[in-house]
Amino acid sequence: MIGVSQCSDDLWRTTMNSEMVREASFYPDMAIEIKTVKDDTRQQIIDVQYFIDQPVDLLIVSPNESATLTPSIEKACQSGIPVILIDRKIDSDTYTAYVGGDNYQLAYELGLYAARVLGGKGEVAVIRGFEGSTADTERYQGFTEALSAYPDVKIVAEARGGFLKEEARKQMEKILETHKEIDLVFAMNDPMALGVHDATIRYSGHRPFIIGIDALYGPGGGIESIEKGLIDASFIYPTGGDKVISLAYQILTGQEYTKENILHTAAVDKTNARVLQLQTSQIVESQLKTDRINELLDTSLIRYANQRTLFYSSLLALALLIAVLLFAARAYRLKSKAHRQLARQNEEIKRQADILKEQKERLETLSAQLEEATHAKLVFFTNISHEFKTPLSLILGPVDSLMAAKNLTGKQHEMLSLVKRNSHRLLFLISEIIEFRRYENGKMNVYFTRNDLTTFLEELTLLFEEYRHRKNVTLSLETDGSDFQLWFDKEKLEKVYFNLLSNAFKYVNESGKIKVTLTTQDQEGEKYAVISVSNTGSYIPGMEQKIYSNAFIK
Ligand code: FRU
């Protein structure tokens, strides 16, 4: 990576820059970044720092001013970046190499040339370059020292044009106001020489001989200006961009190199301008061809790179496609395998289902048969129960008659009442069985009558008074005071209540408590009477209580 910091922006610099870019294109591993300022030293210091920070591998600088840029160049060298100075120098030797003309020598020869042109006598004006640049100081030194041998050649005016055409024109106009008889003007570069030309054509007086520096070929260059008669002479100040880059390559690749690389100069005037222009135009043409070849090469390289990318992408896509196909084939194989296994499992399940169905059917038949047998047994049982009723009634009739007889002994009466009681008991049990059967067959009838539930329960509870005394327990009946006039089957409810109380008596402890409560409860908008019977002593476990304890009567 090469960084280039140019101090100004004009034809000379653009020519040099394109030479550098062209030359760099011959080195495939070389990249070049050019930063240009317009004679702004402060900005150039910033640009140099930028390249140090990158860091670039090599720095090429044309210092706008020598003193101010010296620390920046030294800093770059100290940080290990080789620095090539071009065209202008700094105030120290801390740089890697220099490429450019010898400004002193060039101006010295130019001075001798001027003296020759003037025939050793005449008035001279000097339009100087950018103050502080070595190009300006060395050119001034070379020129004045050459003229010192010609006492009749006098520098009568000096002005600063800063290497700029417009500034030179203005300065020359000022000079011409006071020095009408100037014979020769030395402008330190061709753009300023052209500015001087523009200033002189406005004056009718005698036209001075104008000499510049650079003598660039091509349109707008010094050689063309001489041919056109705009200026009279110029000294070639070679740009040498190609040389700078090949030197940079030598330094970067560790080859031997020369520190001071002085480019040759030569005078150009009317006598050789035409030949030079012809020769250089051929060079320019071949350079343009090189540029064209370079462009073609670049586009071919881009196309090649694109095609290569396309080729690799296609290759990758193909590989991916193959992978996907392989994957799909494997997935298909696995799927078919799973499918076959599933089919087998399905068949097995179906077979088991058939077996289960068969078993179920067999069980169903069995249970139907069982039900039928049970039913037959029950029917038989009921019928037999009915059959018991008649003989029992027939027993009870004579027993009653016998008990009515007056001549019975106490013992006989007692035995007869035992027969009577047990016969009634048997009759009661048989009617219970018959009723149970009715219930089972869904034929049990309920007979609702409207009664006062409170009185009903009180009366039934009283029947247990005797029993209560015997067992020495407390029996209480509490109501919430509501009106319990409602419809219920007295006989059924009596059985239920008796059952509950009998159980309570069975499980109550000695001197324990039996409590009956009658309350109302709202359930889903309906009003219910709730009878609950509880006792101390052993009791029904919680879970079972939930199932059995609540007797709701609507
Ligand atoms: C270009 C230029 C040239 C001149 C040189 C001096 O920027 O002004 O015309 O010869 O710089 O450094």
Side-chain angles (χ1 to χ4, degrees):
M1 183 67 217
I2 293 177
V4 180
S5 169
Q6 286 285 22
C7 60
S8 50
D9 190 15
D10 48 38
L11 186 63
W12 193 89
R13 301 287 159 185
T14 48
T15 307
M16 185 189 200
N17 290 348
S18 46
E19 284 167 358
M20 285 195 288
V21 171
R22 189 180 300 119
E23 185 68 15
S25 69
F26 298 132
Y27 305 96
D29 295 335
M30 193 183 274
I32 183 165
E33 185 183 352
I34 303 173
K35 277 184 171 284
T36 301
V37 295
K38 288 185 175 11
D39 311 304
D40 180 348
T41 311
R42 272 176 47 197
Q43 183 56 45
Q44 195 175 23
I45 291 171
I46 295 169
D47 288 354
V48 171
Q49 187 57 48
Y50 162 83
F51 286 127
I52 296 172
D53 293 341
Q54 288 299 296
V56 288
D57 299 303
L58 187 137
L59 190 56
I60 297 170
V61 186
S62 174
N64 192 41
E65 286 176 78
S66 56
T68 340
L69 269 148
T70 304
S72 298
I73 303 301
E74 286 181 335
K75 191 175 171 192
C77 285
Q78 276 148 19
S79 59
I81 302 172
V83 181
I84 301 177
L85 296 180
I86 47 170
D87 139 65
R88 301 181 190 180
K89 288 198 169 172
I90 52 166
D91 285 358
S92 99
D93 281 342
T94 315
Y95 57 88
T96 315
Y98 171 79
V99 181
D102 181 337
N103 280 300
Y104 176 87
Q105 191 57 36
L106 179 147
Y108 193 89
E109 280 167 31
L110 193 147
L112 297 180
Y113 177 89
R116 255 199 324 275
V117 167
L118 291 173
K121 190 174 188 275
E123 293 189 356
V124 173
V126 180
I127 309 294
R128 297 187 63 166
F130 194 86
E131 191 175 5
S133 68
T134 53
D136 171 72
T137 48
E138 287 172 6
R139 284 176 192 180
Y140 186 74
Q141 227 182 331
F143 184 69
T144 48
E145 276 174 28
L147 288 189
S148 61
Y150 300 91
D152 292 334
V153 176
K154 291 197 173 71
I155 298 175
V156 293
E158 275 181 26
R160 202 163 279 288
F163 291 126
L164 301 169
K165 182 182 173 185
E166 265 314 287
E167 193 52 36
R169 185 185 59 78
K170 281 187 209 155
Q171 296 302 326
M172 193 60 212
E173 277 174 0
K174 269 193 211 158
I175 292 172
L176 284 171
E177 279 169 20
T178 46
H179 299 86
K180 301 244 186 279
E181 296 305 316
I182 290 205
D183 302 302
L184 186 142
V185 181
F186 165 41
M188 285 194 181
N189 70 357
D190 290 343
M192 290 201 296
L194 283 170
V196 169
H197 163 79
D198 289 354
T200 55
I201 52 170
R202 297 194 189 169
Y203 288 85
S204 49
H206 134 97
R207 185 185 176 279
F209 192 92
I210 305 169
I211 311 176
I213 293 180
D214 286 346
L216 284 177
Y217 54 83
I223 299 175
E224 188 193 76
S225 301
I226 294 167
E227 262 199 290
K228 285 183 177 168
L230 304 175
I231 62 174
D232 301 293
S234 181
F235 273 68
I236 295 174
Y237 187 63
T239 43
D242 51 342
K243 300 210 171 47
V244 181
I245 294 300
S246 58
L247 175 69
Y249 183 75
Q250 275 175 293
I251 295 170
L252 285 170
T253 49
Q255 297 173 41
E256 263 186 31
Y257 63 93
T258 321
K259 185 167 178 177
E260 303 296 327
N261 301 274
I262 306 303
L263 303 175
H264 298 294
T265 183
V268 183
D269 54 20
K270 273 236 151 14
T271 58
N272 60 358
R274 176 126 192 87
V275 185
L276 269 174
Q277 186 74 326
L278 278 173
Q279 281 177 344
T280 47
S281 65
Q282 272 177 2
I283 299 170
V284 171
E285 232 168 74
S286 60
Q287 273 176 350
L288 287 174
K289 271 186 194 152
T290 316
D291 287 348
R292 177 88 191 104
I293 289 169
N294 262 337
E295 267 169 36
L296 282 173
L297 199 70
D298 279 349
T299 41
S300 306
L301 279 173
I302 291 169
R303 204 176 304 152
Y304 167 71
N306 285 344
Q307 281 172 353
R308 200 176 49 180
T309 320
L310 191 73
F311 172 73
Y312 285 130
S313 319
S314 314
L315 215 65
L316 191 75
L318 193 72
L320 276 174
L321 192 72
I322 290 171
V324 167
L325 280 175
L326 285 175
F327 185 75
R330 191 164 166 264
Y332 179 75
R333 237 183 303 126
L334 284 176
K335 197 185 147 203
S336 332
K337 201 176 155 195
H339 200 75
R340 282 199 297 277
Q341 209 169 320
L342 261 178
R344 271 203 302 278
Q345 280 174 353
N346 259 349
E347 246 167 58
E348 178 63 13
I349 289 168
K350 227 169 115 192
R351 202 179 59 80
Q352 282 176 3
D354 284 347
I355 295 172
L356 278 176
K357 199 176 155 202
E358 213 174 285
Q359 283 175 350
K360 190 186 156 217
E361 275 166 10
R362 221 180 301 146
L363 272 176
E364 272 170 4
T365 339
L366 266 176
S367 94
Q369 282 170 357
L370 204 69
E371 207 174 304
E372 215 174 287
T374 317
H375 183 71
K377 271 186 218 161
L378 280 171
V379 167
F380 169 76
F381 197 51
T382 317
N383 289 346
I384 251 335
S385 304
H386 272 289
E387 293 310 312
F388 280 138
K389 263 179 118 177
T390 325
L392 271 173
S393 310
L394 291 176
I395 290 169
L396 275 168
V399 169
D400 280 342
S401 314
L402 278 173
M403 280 181 81
K406 298 251 167 48
N407 53 347
L408 287 180
T409 64
K411 182 83 185 156
Q412 282 167 331
H413 194 269
E414 200 181 305
M415 280 166 71
L416 278 173
S417 60
L418 191 70
V419 171
K420 189 182 169 179
R421 262 206 321 276
N422 281 308
S423 302
H424 271 296
R425 179 85 189 131
L426 266 176
L427 259 180
F428 173 76
L429 288 174
I430 285 163
S431 41
E432 287 285 281
I433 289 170
I434 292 167
E435 198 158 322
F436 168 71
R437 277 298 298 155
R438 277 200 202 120
Y439 169 72
E440 273 237 309
N441 295 333
K443 281 178 193 157
M444 189 174 78
N445 291 324
V446 266
Y447 301 102
F448 290 107
T449 48
R450 194 169 168 78
N451 299 289
D452 179 8
L453 186 60
T454 319
T455 328
F456 177 75
L457 291 184
E458 276 167 357
E459 279 167 8
L460 286 179
T461 316
L462 264 180
L463 294 175
F464 284 82
E465 257 314 283
E466 229 296 302
Y467 198 15
R468 184 183 76 75
H469 267 296
R470 242 191 297 142
K471 284 208 99 177
N472 191 30
V473 293
T474 325
L475 173 61
S476 62
L477 169 67
E478 288 166 18
T479 78
D480 64 3
S482 314
D483 176 17
F484 286 101
Q485 287 288 338
L486 38 91
W487 292 87
F488 58 92
D489 185 323
K490 278 179 99 174
E491 200 191 306
K492 305 275 185 320
L493 193 56
E494 186 185 293
K495 279 187 188 154
V496 171
Y497 188 60
F498 253 79
N499 215 336
L500 286 169
L501 268 187
S502 313
N503 270 336
F505 273 98
K506 200 164 149 191
Y507 292 105
V508 75
N509 54 331
E510 199 53 50
S511 315
K513 270 185 197 160
I514 297 172
K515 192 173 140 191
V516 181
T517 57
L518 177 59
T519 49
T520 46
Q521 191 172 308
D522 275 332
Q523 199 141 316
E524 290 163 10
E526 297 270 21
K527 218 168 179 198
Y528 287 87
V530 182
I531 305 165
S532 55
V533 180
S534 60
N535 63 275
T536 55
S538 61
Y539 48 87
I540 310 171
M543 264 302 283
E544 288 172 42
Q545 260 183 45
K546 237 189 154 57
I547 305 166
Y548 304 120
S549 72
N550 289 339
F552 290 106
I553 302 166
K554 200 158 132 185

